[in-house]
Amino acid sequence: MLPCILVVDDEKNTRDTLIQLLEPNYEVFGACNYDEAVKLLKNERFDLVLSDFRLPGKNGLFVIDEARKRPYAPACIMMSAYGSVETAVEAVKHGAFDFVTKPINFDRLEVLIKRAILSKKPATATNDEKIQASGVPDIIGNSENIQNVLSLIKKVAPTKATVLLTGETGTGKEVFADALHAYSARAQKPFVAIHCAALPKNLLESELFGHEKGAFTGADVKHIGLFERASGGTVFLDEIGEIDLDIQVKLLRFLETRKISRIGSSAETPVDIRLVCATNRDLEQMVKKNEFREDLFYRINVINIPVPPLRDRTGDIPLLVNYYIEKFSTENGLARPFFSDEIMKFLQNYKWPGNVRELRNFCEGVVILHHGETITEKNLDRKFFHEDLLIDPQKR
């Protein structure tokens, strides 16, 4: 029997899209407001409720409250286009498993749904069942390079060791960080990812560690940081080489004490998280240039897992292409394009400077523009024939 999900959203397009995407793997019901949701909760047994925060009448918190009254209370995930840490914390206080912001990243949501449903399973579930249900994401490839990385991740995952993932942009470091979390004993707890380069210094510090009311201009309420929100789970700091030296000091302090201090407070709060970091920069060279703290480098570099570029595992390219072509064809309801062996060789000869991210985007574009067609050389961008972007046959 398929797990049963209730999607509650007053936006019909959003509700219908989520139902359509979920239906291949779940039995799905839809409701547009609190009253409809309550009727369904009384008549059906759900494994998970996926509710928008803003609803006409009573908001999504009331939906969660009602769901948790059921004899077999479903797991709950809150959605919102107006996400804030305060709203997320409030949702968790009401019993939500987690909180996601719109527009929804469906790949991430799929993994989160599996973890949420697993969290309601009895403790007698086997480790294999837990790993399967936690949804280890998108690790496609049979090459020795990628299997070595996966083997190392499985070996390290059950430990508490801090991990540093290194590799070029687009190689999938966040995917491997997520896999590390999924194979760990923390799989049913939050996996929180933050891209350090995307936030200015003052905002990044507040997002990570939180702040007290009045700590600085505009701090009108107390803010719970991501480290506290992820308690029991995993925090992934992507592009850690971009963080300011002052924040590096605070991060080092956390790694030494496993306690954090919110901005504007001297009190220390114990936090239980597993820290996974990633960078596409040479941190050792940054240390020599005094751009990255040496003591912090050694703290985060307990286990170093290099993620190979796509040009070093060209044998995986047909598998990746087939995976993403199938994915985007299914999601868009379009016929698959066809790749001949000759065209696949063109793809394997290309260096893919953007790595798996570039290949993923290429596949999505091919599905949208050439669905149902046989792909020929004329359908390929000129970059696939540019000498500087082709792999030297002697290095393959």
Side-chain angles (χ1 to χ4, degrees):
M1 180 181 295
L2 293 175
C4 193
I5 294 178
L6 172 61
V7 176
V8 188
D9 199 309
D10 59 317
E11 295 180 0
K12 186 177 187 301
N13 288 341
T14 301
R15 187 172 68 250
D16 290 347
T17 298
L18 285 170
I19 291 172
Q20 181 180 2
L21 290 169
L22 292 169
E23 275 186 335
N25 300 310
Y26 303 96
E27 184 178 1
V28 190
F29 292 77
C32 67
N33 55 37
Y34 168 83
D35 292 334
E36 282 192 11
V38 170
K39 289 179 182 178
L40 287 166
L41 285 165
K42 289 179 178 178
N43 295 322
E44 302 288 340
R45 177 173 170 174
F46 292 99
D47 296 283
L48 181 129
V49 173
L50 181 61
S51 176
D52 191 30
F53 176 74
R54 291 197 175 187
L55 297 171
K58 293 184 177 181
N59 66 32
L61 296 177
F62 289 93
V63 174
I64 292 177
D65 290 341
E66 187 64 35
R68 288 180 59 78
K69 293 178 185 177
R70 301 297 100 200
Y72 299 98
C76 299
I77 295 175
M78 182 72 77
M79 306 179 291
S80 178
Y82 310 92
S84 69
V85 172
E86 287 72 27
T87 305
V89 170
E90 192 66 23
V92 172
K93 284 181 179 178
H94 280 252
F97 177 81
D98 214 326
F99 179 93
V100 295
T101 55
K102 294 179 177 178
I104 301 295
N105 179 327
F106 190 68
D107 288 343
R108 170 69 59 199
L109 181 63
E110 279 188 304
V111 173
L112 195 58
I113 286 172
K114 289 176 182 178
R115 290 184 183 147
I117 292 175
L118 177 64
S119 72
K120 307 303 293 184
K121 282 191 172 186
T124 53
T126 68
N127 190 54
D128 285 344
E129 287 176 326
K130 291 177 180 178
I131 289 173
Q132 183 179 12
S134 66
V136 180
D138 292 10
I139 297 180
I140 309 297
N142 294 326
S143 66
E144 183 178 357
N145 281 343
I146 216 68
Q147 288 303 311
N148 287 342
V149 173
L150 187 55
S151 176
L152 188 54
I153 281 175
K154 290 179 179 179
K155 184 181 295 185
V156 173
T159 72
K160 296 181 179 181
T162 301
V163 175
L164 177 62
L165 294 161
T166 56
E168 298 175 8
T169 298
T171 50
K173 294 186 289 295
E174 183 172 346
V175 172
F176 286 101
D178 202 347
L180 191 68
H181 175 75
Y183 281 113
S184 77
R186 299 173 180 267
Q188 285 74 60
K189 297 295 183 177
F191 173 82
V192 177
I194 185 164
H195 299 272
C196 300
L199 296 173
K201 171 192 169 183
N202 60 332
L203 185 54
L204 177 62
E205 185 176 4
S206 174
E207 282 298 298
L208 291 179
F209 304 108
H211 65 251
E212 296 293 340
K213 181 179 179 181
F216 49 84
T217 303
D220 299 326
V221 295
K222 182 170 74 173
H223 175 79
I224 304 298
L226 293 175
F227 276 40
E228 287 186 77
R229 284 179 55 202
S231 184
T234 301
V235 171
F236 173 58
L237 299 183
D238 196 10
E239 300 185 58
I240 194 170
E242 308 301 325
I243 66 175
D244 186 88
L245 289 169
D246 291 339
I247 301 179
Q248 290 181 31
V249 172
K250 202 160 184 176
L251 185 57
L252 177 64
R253 175 67 179 164
F254 163 74
L255 288 169
E256 290 174 340
T257 65
R258 294 291 164 174
K259 298 177 181 178
I260 61 100
S261 296
R262 300 189 195 109
I263 301 172
S265 173
S266 58
E268 292 189 319
T269 303
V271 176
D272 172 28
I273 60 166
R274 204 281 182 69
L275 189 65
V276 180
C277 305
T279 183
N280 60 5
R281 301 185 65 181
D282 187 335
L283 294 186
E284 291 187 84
Q285 286 299 315
M286 292 182 67
V287 168
K288 292 177 181 178
K289 296 178 181 179
N290 295 319
E291 296 173 348
F292 199 87
R293 291 184 63 97
E294 183 177 26
D295 43 9
L296 177 59
F297 172 67
Y298 289 123
R299 280 285 185 178
I300 64 174
N301 196 37
V302 178
I303 302 292
N304 187 308
I305 301 180
V307 180
L310 190 53
R311 65 181 175 275
D312 286 349
R313 56 183 189 108
T314 57
D316 291 334
I317 287 175
L319 294 174
L320 286 161
V321 169
N322 286 331
Y323 172 81
Y324 285 121
I325 291 295
E326 178 65 31
K327 172 184 171 66
F328 292 122
S329 297
T330 301
E331 286 182 2
N332 292 284
L334 299 172
R336 287 182 52 127
F338 174 75
F339 289 80
S340 67
D341 291 342
E342 181 182 5
I343 293 299
M344 198 64 75
K345 287 178 182 177
F346 275 106
L347 303 184
Q348 289 179 285
N349 286 334
Y350 177 61
K351 286 184 178 179
W352 296 101
N355 292 294
V356 178
R357 183 182 295 129
E358 182 183 1
L359 182 142
R360 184 184 192 276
N361 293 340
F362 163 76
C363 291
E364 184 172 15
V366 168
V367 168
I368 300 300
L369 298 176
H370 305 293
H371 51 89
E373 299 179 18
T374 297
I375 304 304
T376 64
E377 290 185 30
K378 70 178 182 180
N379 302 128
L380 297 180
D381 190 278
R382 291 301 93 193
K383 67 183 180 181
F384 290 103
F385 308 94
H386 196 291
E387 186 175 344
D388 291 342
L389 294 175
L390 300 183
I391 298 173
D392 184 342
Q394 295 181 354
K395 295 181 179 180
R396 291 193 60 193

